[in-house]
Amino acid sequence: MANLLLFGLGLQEIVVIALIVLLLFGGKKIPELMKGLGKGVKSFKDGMKEIDTDDKEVKSEE
């Protein structure tokens, strides 16, 4: 049985990290943080797609 779940962390470590985050930010702030994180990831992906599109345009011009 693989003991690695995420980035080499086991279930106990993930639970401890989640509890620490809950204590630091509180239950009301966590959805706001996740929403901001989601927007950041979406923005990053959109930026990567734009770079790929620009790269293809430059290569087609050559």
Side-chain angles (χ1 to χ4, degrees):
M1 181 171 118
N3 201 11
L4 304 176
L5 292 177
L6 181 66
F7 301 114
L9 297 175
L11 183 60
Q12 291 176 340
E13 289 88 359
I14 293 173
V15 169
V16 169
I17 292 170
L19 287 174
I20 291 171
V21 168
L22 184 62
L23 287 173
L24 288 176
F25 296 108
K28 294 182 180 180
K29 285 285 188 181
I30 291 176
E32 294 174 22
L33 291 171
M34 293 299 111
K35 184 177 179 181
L37 181 65
K39 285 183 180 180
V41 169
K42 184 179 185 314
S43 175
F44 178 76
K45 286 182 179 182
D46 290 343
M48 293 301 292
K49 286 179 185 177
E50 184 177 322
I51 289 172
D52 288 342
T53 303
D54 291 345
D55 189 36
K56 288 176 183 176
E57 288 175 4
V58 169
K59 284 183 181 180
S60 67
E61 290 176 2
E62 293 175 350

